[in-house]
Amino acid sequence: MQLKVYAHSSSASHLHTPWTPIRKLNIRPKTSIKPLTLSNSLKTSSFNNEFQEEEKLKLNIKNSSNQEKVSLPVVIRHSGTVSRYFWDGNDLKLVSVDGINAFSLSDFSLDFGDGVKKLSRLCGSAVRDLFLPRKVTENYLGFVKWKFLHRVFSSALQVLATQAMFRAIGIGESRSLASAAALNWVLKDGLGRLSRCIYTATLASAFDTNLKRVRFSTSVIFSLSIGVELLTPVFPEYFLLLATIANIAKQISLACYLATGTAVHRSFAIADNLGEVSAKAQIQTVCFDNLGLMLAAVLNILFKNNQRLQAGLPYVVYPIFSAIDLFGIYQGLKYVHLQTLTKDRLEMIINTWINLGYVPSPAEVSKREGIDFFWSKGREILPIRIGCLNPKSQIQKLSMMTMRSLNDEDFYFICMESLTKGFKKIGDHGILLCLREEAGTSDVIMGLLQACYIRKGLLLNRIGWENNFEGCDFSDSNIRQWLNLKEESQQSVRVNFDLLNEQMSSLGWACKNILLSTKEQARYSFVAD
């Protein structure tokens, strides 16, 4: 205040006596007023603000100390529990607000209904943390449910089959020879592992392109192998032969299970937590298999007093347990929604896009394709094949004209091929898509999209094209008509490709790569003469 008064009074001529010593500071008004006023006002205001904040903080702490418990706006959700931070006046505490952590035996005894509810919630949370990953797709729980059914009964069958094999080699009887039994066991295991290596080397690409079919087919083989092992006590003289056949089938099934396991787990992981999903799958397998062991042990205990019934027990339960096992595998695979693109899945997506105007989701495509057995898949009119030309099944003149029209900018070409000897109807023909060695993923999608457009054009004018197919080869007018159809389909591809690719990516399809089988990977090279 003195500075402020001094600043205003420096230009006045009537000053009172008390202020006279201040004028002896020899400070010029113009250079002293502004800096002193600004700096001191800032110091004064900052001091006041700090003082107010400190007083406010002390007041809040004082008020918080006077209160019994102050709730803070921070809630923690972890492992199925909900907790919140509280200040009790002296300490910061994390307290459960859903009642799970506060469960005790006294609560259980005082309020039975509420105690049971808390106990069930606690157990449910613990079981979920043990068996289920944190972030997975919605269909994962259904897969685990059917996996439980499959593993329990499969494990029980394996126990009964092992007991039957022990009886076949005479373990536990005085006539058994330990060295002969060990030799037979080593031989069957060695031949089984060798067959496993041959199988995996032969069908490596099928694990990606036909995952569900291969996995279920090998599961059927595994179930049959258990049946073969059950026959060893009936034919003990053929133990080595039967045990080797069964072990080969088991090793093939195991190879498929291990090879396809990563792809199955990746289809459920949504937060790059593939390791967690795989680890939880191992825990599930161990626990479910132990339940199967307990089931087999209970059956043996029930019939332990009757050796005849105990020996015949595996043959009675085998068809029942095998049917339940395979049913569980079949139902569980329905919940596996693969986002990878194969030729069949891509063709299904494109057909839906052309005919219905939208791109189906991985779940919808998974429901349509099912297990995709060869014998259950109906023959499609004008099937599309990816591969190389077969001179014996081609329409010679049409194929020749198609290849002559190629240039260096083409990364694929499409032509017709005959499926039967008397190719008079449109149903006797197919469409062939040949890919160039330099063709990328987008070229494969564009080629298959154009092939589907061509098939739609052929089916719209089916009668006219069947008249063209009556001869052994196309005439010049038919070739021009074919080339016009190719040009129209190519224009449709240019218009719709970007939109199709964008919608596929938005639905989670892995559009960066397309998995092709060994035959579909055959390519051609362009040679400019």
Side-chain angles (χ1 to χ4, degrees):
M1 293 298 293
Q2 292 178 355
L3 290 174
K4 185 175 181 181
V5 173
Y6 167 74
H8 283 286
S9 61
S10 61
S11 60
S13 60
H14 52 282
L15 292 174
H16 297 284
T17 305
W19 299 102
T20 304
I22 302 177
R23 300 181 66 179
K24 296 179 180 180
L25 294 174
N26 295 326
I27 301 175
R28 288 181 296 179
K30 291 183 179 180
T31 59
S32 61
I33 293 175
K34 292 183 179 179
L36 287 174
T37 304
L38 179 61
S39 60
N40 284 278
S41 61
L42 286 175
K43 291 179 180 179
T44 305
S45 60
S46 62
F47 175 76
N48 292 334
N49 291 334
E50 292 177 0
F51 177 77
Q52 292 176 1
E53 292 295 332
E54 185 177 356
E55 291 296 326
K56 187 185 295 184
L57 181 61
K58 290 180 179 179
L59 182 60
N60 290 336
I61 295 176
K62 183 177 181 180
N63 293 335
S64 300
S65 301
N66 294 331
Q67 295 177 1
E68 182 178 354
K69 185 182 291 187
V70 178
S71 60
L72 301 177
V74 179
V75 177
I76 305 297
R77 292 178 174 86
H78 180 69
S79 301
T81 62
V82 181
S83 304
R84 186 171 183 175
Y85 285 101
F86 287 88
W87 175 260
D88 63 355
N90 295 317
D91 298 322
L92 185 65
K93 295 183 178 180
L94 183 63
V95 181
S96 173
V97 295
D98 59 0
I100 292 182
N101 293 340
F103 176 76
S104 63
L105 293 176
S106 60
D107 297 332
F108 185 80
S109 61
L110 293 176
D111 191 349
F112 180 78
D114 186 56
V116 171
K117 184 183 295 185
K118 291 179 180 179
L119 180 61
S120 62
R121 291 176 62 187
L122 180 63
C123 295
S125 176
V127 170
R128 191 196 183 285
D129 292 340
L130 177 64
F131 287 97
L132 303 179
R134 290 173 297 174
K135 293 184 179 181
V136 287
T137 56
E138 297 178 354
N139 51 308
Y140 182 74
L141 192 58
F143 172 79
V144 174
K145 175 183 64 177
W146 291 109
K147 179 183 178 180
F148 167 78
L149 192 68
H150 145 59
R151 297 300 307 187
V152 168
F153 287 94
S154 176
S155 178
L157 278 177
Q158 292 181 62
V159 173
L160 297 176
T162 303
Q163 291 178 347
M165 295 178 69
F166 284 161
R167 287 194 296 270
I169 61 178
I171 292 181
E173 298 181 7
S174 57
R175 62 182 176 86
S176 64
L177 297 176
S179 59
L183 178 62
N184 289 343
W185 211 272
V186 170
L187 284 176
K188 79 173 184 65
D189 286 347
L191 293 174
R193 291 170 183 172
L194 178 62
S195 301
R196 173 182 171 182
C197 294
I198 297 174
Y199 170 77
T200 52
T202 305
L203 297 178
S205 62
F207 294 138
D208 294 319
T209 55
N210 300 301
L211 185 147
K212 292 185 179 181
R213 181 174 66 228
V214 172
R215 186 154 185 167
F216 185 78
S217 300
T218 53
S219 298
V220 174
I221 294 175
F222 183 85
S223 181
L224 293 176
S225 69
I226 295 179
V228 174
E229 289 179 344
L230 293 176
L231 293 177
T232 53
V234 182
F235 306 100
E237 64 274 14
Y238 300 108
F239 171 82
L240 181 59
L241 176 62
L242 295 176
T244 302
I245 294 174
N247 194 258
I248 289 174
K250 281 188 173 183
Q251 292 294 331
I252 289 175
S253 180
L254 178 61
C256 176
Y257 181 82
L258 295 176
T260 58
T262 303
V264 173
H265 297 157
R266 187 185 295 112
S267 68
F268 296 117
I270 60 176
D272 292 334
N273 56 338
L274 180 60
E276 181 190 12
V277 175
S278 301
K280 298 295 184 181
Q282 295 181 28
I283 296 174
Q284 296 165 8
T285 301
V286 171
C287 294
F288 298 163
D289 287 353
N290 287 336
L291 291 177
L293 295 177
M294 293 174 59
L295 176 60
V298 169
L299 292 176
N300 284 320
I301 292 174
L302 292 177
F303 296 96
K304 67 177 180 179
N305 295 328
N306 193 327
Q307 294 296 326
R308 188 174 181 180
L309 290 178
Q310 190 176 24
L313 176 64
Y315 307 102
V316 176
V317 301
Y318 170 72
I320 301 174
F321 284 12
S322 296
I324 298 175
D325 176 26
L326 295 177
F327 182 73
I329 297 173
Y330 182 84
Q331 293 295 329
L333 288 175
K334 291 183 178 180
Y335 290 89
V336 179
H337 305 329
L338 300 173
Q339 294 87 17
T340 53
L341 287 176
T342 62
K343 181 263 177 183
D344 293 335
R345 293 191 196 114
L346 182 57
E347 184 178 354
M348 194 178 303
I349 292 171
I350 292 175
N351 286 333
T352 305
W353 163 265
I354 293 176
N355 297 323
L356 302 178
Y358 75 95
V359 174
S361 63
E364 185 176 350
V365 172
S366 178
K367 185 178 180 180
R368 291 183 188 178
E369 69 178 352
I371 305 301
D372 189 21
F373 294 115
F374 286 115
W375 59 84
S376 63
K377 188 176 181 180
R379 182 178 173 182
E380 187 180 11
I381 300 177
L382 290 174
I384 299 174
R385 180 176 70 89
I386 299 178
C388 286
L389 289 167
N390 183 5
K392 296 182 180 180
S393 62
Q394 297 301 313
I395 302 176
Q396 303 293 334
K397 192 173 182 179
L398 181 62
S399 302
M400 183 270 297
M401 294 297 294
T402 301
M403 286 187 285
R404 286 189 62 181
S405 63
L406 292 175
N407 55 53
D408 190 51
E409 297 180 356
D410 295 327
F411 290 92
Y412 66 88
F413 69 88
I414 301 173
C415 62
M416 298 287 296
E417 63 178 355
S418 60
L419 303 177
T420 58
K421 293 182 179 180
F423 44 92
K424 294 184 178 180
K425 297 182 180 180
I426 197 171
D428 300 329
H429 292 77
I431 300 175
L432 175 64
L433 172 62
C434 293
L435 300 173
R436 188 171 162 179
E437 287 184 352
E438 297 82 2
T441 303
S442 59
D443 299 314
V444 178
I445 299 176
M446 293 175 66
L448 196 56
L449 179 60
Q450 184 177 358
C452 290
Y453 275 123
I454 291 175
R455 176 168 58 189
K456 183 178 181 180
L458 293 174
L459 294 177
L460 289 176
N461 190 18
R462 181 170 182 172
I463 298 178
W465 283 104
E466 284 186 348
N467 294 331
N468 296 334
F469 293 149
E470 288 182 357
C472 295
D473 211 340
F474 275 17
S475 62
D476 294 339
S477 60
N478 295 335
I479 291 177
R480 285 194 296 270
Q481 189 176 358
W482 166 259
L483 294 178
N484 291 335
L485 179 60
K486 284 182 59 179
E487 182 64 27
E488 293 175 359
S489 62
Q490 196 168 13
Q491 292 179 0
S492 300
V493 170
R494 294 193 190 102
V495 173
N496 297 319
F497 171 74
D498 291 336
L499 182 59
L500 172 63
N501 198 33
E502 180 181 353
Q503 292 191 11
M504 287 171 58
S505 300
S506 63
L507 289 174
W509 289 106
C511 300
K512 294 182 179 180
N513 190 26
I514 298 178
L515 302 175
L516 300 177
S517 63
T518 304
K519 294 182 179 180
E520 293 170 347
Q521 292 175 6
R523 304 292 180 96
Y524 75 91
S525 299
F526 178 77
V527 180
D529 296 331

